[in-house]
Amino acid sequence: MIRANGATLQYDDHGREVFACREVDLEILPNEFVGILGPSGSGKSSLLYLLSGLKTPTGGEILYEGKNLAMLSDEQRAKLRLREFGFLFQQPFLLGYLTALENVLLAASGEPMRDKAVELLKSLGLGEKTHRFPHELSGGERQRVCVARSLLGNPKVVFADEPTAALDHKNGQHVVELLNHHREGGALVMVTHDETMLEKADRVLRIVEGQLVS
């Protein structure tokens, strides 16, 4: 589904060459839960952004279903992310003037999806809070709203960047279980520094200083 061939992300830091990722080769298969594990600053989030097309490699290539993401226009990449990818980040990014349900529907790609959004929120234990605003929800509940948003369109790939870092251990494991259970056949690629969150992963990739080491 996704292939990285020598993927490199390099930038200049006041005249010094810095590699966020260096010549990474990997494959992500359909319906696979892949964890990317590494300490802070190891390049794991940069790798996730390369795999999802949020960043363009300065060397090598990222292929999604055979298409080189760098060869797509900005508009084509945006449509791809909306229609085929789901995203979940460390902090729950919700618009404060929208309800939980309205925040989930931001991920809708045109077709009527209100019923699906309501069902997702119910399945995540938020059935009675669909019309609550973010400030009326706990941190764990806000992150579950983001889980629902990331899964709304039955994405082929869900990319999760440290989705449990702001939660306690119990709520963190619950979020991972929900992601894994509700992804409906799509692949899940999750970055974390906490190995205990990857107990259900099919594979765990370890990254150190921008390079895959195992």
Side-chain angles (χ1 to χ4, degrees), residues 89-91 143 161-169 171-172 175-176 190-194 197:
F89 298 99
Q90 177 176 338
Q91 296 297 331
Q143 190 66 309
D161 185 15
E162 294 276 13
T164 66
L167 304 175
D168 61 45
H169 186 77
N171 278 317
V175 163
V176 176
M190 192 177 95
V191 158
T192 184
H193 64 275
D194 184 352
M197 295 297 164

Side-chain angles (χ1 to χ4, degrees), residues 16-37:
R16 182 172 65 96
E17 287 187 346
V18 176
F19 288 88
C21 289
R22 188 195 293 262
E23 298 181 359
V24 173
D25 297 313
L26 64 85
E27 291 182 345
I28 307 294
L29 304 177
N31 198 30
E32 189 176 32
F33 176 7
V34 176
I36 301 175
L37 184 69

Side-chain angles (χ1 to χ4, degrees), residues 1-2 27-34 64 84-87 150-151 154-160 179-180 182-190 202-203:
M1 179 171 281
I2 301 174
E27 291 182 345
I28 307 294
L29 304 177
N31 198 30
E32 189 176 32
F33 176 7
V34 176
Y64 173 69
E84 302 198 27
F85 295 166
F87 291 92
S150 72
L151 297 170
N154 294 333
K156 291 185 178 180
V157 190
V158 175
F159 295 98
L179 274 174
N180 198 32
H182 289 282
R183 56 192 170 100
E184 296 189 18
L188 171 60
V189 184
M190 192 177 95
D202 299 302
R203 282 190 295 145

